[in-house]
Amino acid sequence: MPSVHKATDVRLGRIVRLLMSHATVAVSGTKIAEEIGTSRSEVWRLIQQLRALGVDVAGHLATGYQLRAVPDLLLPEMLAPSLKGTVFGGARASSMNVFPPGRRVPQGLKSAFLQTEDGTAEAARYPKSSHEASAKQIHHYYKIASTNSEAMRCAAEGAPEGSVFLAEEQLAGRGRGAHSWHSSRSAGIYCSVILRPAMPPSDALIFSLAVGLAIRAAVMEIAPQLRVDLKWPNDMLLGGKKFCGILTEMNAEAARVRHLVVGVGINVNQAKFPAELREIATSLKIETGTEWSRVELCAALLKSLDREYRGFVEDAGARGAILRRFEEISSSVRGRKVSIEENGGLAGVTEGLDERGFLRVRTAEGLRTVVSGTVRLDGA
């Protein structure tokens, strides 16, 4: 099993890519070794590592290897082809049709799969081809303390805008304030991205609201039957329970943002939660009764976030539009009885958002503006 905090061995993704591109035949250990530049014994070790991670690989060194089901792992090789033309896509990302992860590979399928120049933080060189795409901006970890912490560290060291940090499991996932985020292995999407917008720090809240709009659009693109609710400022609900949270952090001067890190945690395929979360948390699987493709949802999320981001930085009227859209979609920012736990506490009825994105609450003492704090919905 790859060690904590170490970026994924790029050879694992290359093996998955190779097996997917030869979906109907067994690929010999010798061919795999030649393709990734290693020994047959090392290929065997890497295949065992993939199996330990849940990848369904048939065969052995003597007969060759064949992928029986496309793994639902958020590897750069799985995501980069879908991100062509986005801030997260890198250079020369090429399109492809990916058979949904977790499904059986049908007979006769032979997909043209991704070729890349660079894989992860190690920037290992891949063989070039006419279909090559750059996945160097996507960094994958099997275990990490927090994708946001890693993204903030890398941003401070000059990582480019559009860098994406993904983990199969977080050991110390963070939410807003002192809250933690429960991060079951390979069940959710734990994603952080680096952005460098030309904006003042005061716009960070409005952009965080735009992230919520982007996530909602991505989820409903795949499952339009769901009714995703937005709870100010950074929670997303299904049936009144939280399934997604947003954590926006930044490094800024007084008048401008140096870099912004947006972290998104989505409960996707969790079937259950710890006792302390069962009454307040849910997942897409719990709500729909079906397993979801994390790869498909993550790609939709990053494309939707790219659209919101481009609009935010290019359109002078985007900020007002974001506030209006958030108010229209959210069931809790207008006409809802709430209580605010921090800052001495207050209770009242919400009256929408002000021009900075802060929540307005009508209390017995008059109209108050909530700058921060946990919002509790009456009866929730």
Side-chain angles (χ1 to χ4, degrees):
M1 183 73 66
S3 61
V4 178
H5 304 305
K6 185 178 180 181
T8 300
D9 188 330
V10 296
R11 296 176 299 177
L12 296 181
R14 293 178 65 191
I15 291 174
V16 171
R17 177 199 69 198
L18 180 62
L19 295 179
M20 284 187 68
S21 67
H22 297 79
T24 61
V25 298
V27 183
S28 70
T30 299
K31 179 175 177 60
I32 295 173
E34 290 174 352
E35 288 285 330
I36 68 174
T38 190
S39 65
R40 291 174 75 242
S41 61
E42 182 67 2
V43 167
W44 178 86
R45 190 188 70 80
L46 292 169
I47 291 290
Q48 296 305 110
Q49 194 170 111
L50 282 170
R51 286 170 172 162
L53 294 164
V55 180
D56 191 1
V57 182
H60 51 78
L61 199 59
T63 62
Y65 301 101
Q66 189 170 11
L67 202 62
R68 288 191 290 209
V70 180
D72 195 23
L73 298 176
L74 301 178
L75 297 169
E77 290 80 4
M78 301 291 284
L79 287 167
S82 300
L83 302 179
K84 179 182 179 181
T86 73
V87 68
F88 310 113
R92 299 190 301 281
S94 60
S95 61
M96 65 167 284
N97 293 320
V98 178
F99 196 69
R103 303 273 289 277
R104 309 301 294 182
V105 179
Q107 291 297 315
L109 176 66
K110 192 173 189 304
S111 303
F113 199 60
L114 173 67
Q115 301 287 326
T116 63
E117 286 185 0
D118 300 282
T120 65
E122 286 86 356
R125 302 299 292 178
Y126 285 132
K128 295 182 179 180
S129 83
S130 60
H131 299 291
E132 91 183 351
S134 176
K136 67 181 180 180
Q137 290 187 190
I138 304 176
H139 308 278
H140 179 269
Y141 302 81
Y142 282 99
K143 283 187 181 182
I144 197 171
S146 160
T147 57
N148 250 46
S149 296
E150 181 68 4
M152 286 292 286
R153 183 188 69 80
C154 291
E157 294 178 357
E161 178 173 71
S163 296
V164 181
F165 298 80
L166 293 158
E168 297 299 317
E169 181 180 2
Q170 292 185 120
L171 302 180
R174 296 187 291 117
R176 188 165 166 269
H179 295 243
S180 61
W181 186 265
H182 180 67
S183 306
S184 300
R185 177 179 157 193
S186 297
I189 292 174
Y190 319 118
C191 173
S192 298
V193 302
I194 296 174
L195 298 170
R196 299 183 183 275
M199 73 177 197
S202 57
D203 279 350
L205 174 57
I206 297 178
F207 182 67
S208 185
L209 300 179
V211 174
L213 294 169
I215 299 168
R216 181 180 186 273
V219 171
M220 296 187 66
E221 174 186 325
I222 297 173
Q225 76 274 20
L226 292 177
R227 290 295 171 258
V228 179
D229 195 8
L230 302 174
K231 176 171 165 281
W232 187 90
N234 63 344
D235 291 346
M236 309 191 69
L237 311 177
L238 285 169
K241 292 185 177 182
K242 182 174 177 177
F243 80 98
C244 175
I246 301 163
L247 177 62
T248 302
E249 299 180 294
M250 64 181 170
N251 183 297
E253 299 173 357
R256 72 175 183 91
V257 169
R258 292 193 184 96
H259 59 257
L260 195 70
V261 167
V262 178
V264 176
I266 305 178
N267 298 332
V268 182
N269 290 323
Q270 288 91 337
K272 60 182 179 179
F273 290 92
E276 66 273 16
L277 297 177
R278 287 173 194 160
E279 298 302 314
I280 59 174
T282 190
S283 71
L284 297 177
K285 181 177 180 178
I286 291 172
E287 294 299 317
T288 63
T290 60
E291 195 90 0
W292 282 53
S293 163
R294 293 185 307 134
V295 172
E296 183 181 3
L297 179 57
C298 190
L301 163 65
L302 291 171
K303 288 188 286 186
S304 184
L305 181 55
D306 175 76
R307 289 191 294 269
E308 288 289 347
Y309 181 58
R310 289 178 187 273
F312 184 83
V313 298
E314 295 173 3
D315 181 2
R319 286 152 180 78
I322 289 166
L323 295 176
R324 289 192 297 273
R325 288 160 57 208
F326 195 96
E327 286 195 359
E328 289 170 1
I329 291 169
S330 173
S331 69
S332 59
V333 298
R334 190 175 292 277
R336 185 69 180 267
K337 291 183 179 181
V338 297
S339 59
I340 314 298
E341 294 186 348
E342 283 93 338
N343 303 317
L346 61 90
V349 178
T350 56
E351 286 196 8
L353 306 175
D354 71 7
E355 68 280 358
R356 300 164 297 173
F358 295 130
L359 183 65
R360 296 181 297 192
V361 178
R362 177 70 62 180
T363 72
E365 292 77 32
L367 189 64
R368 299 278 299 275
T369 299
V370 179
V371 176
S372 65
T374 300
V375 178
R376 300 293 182 192
L377 305 179
D378 212 37

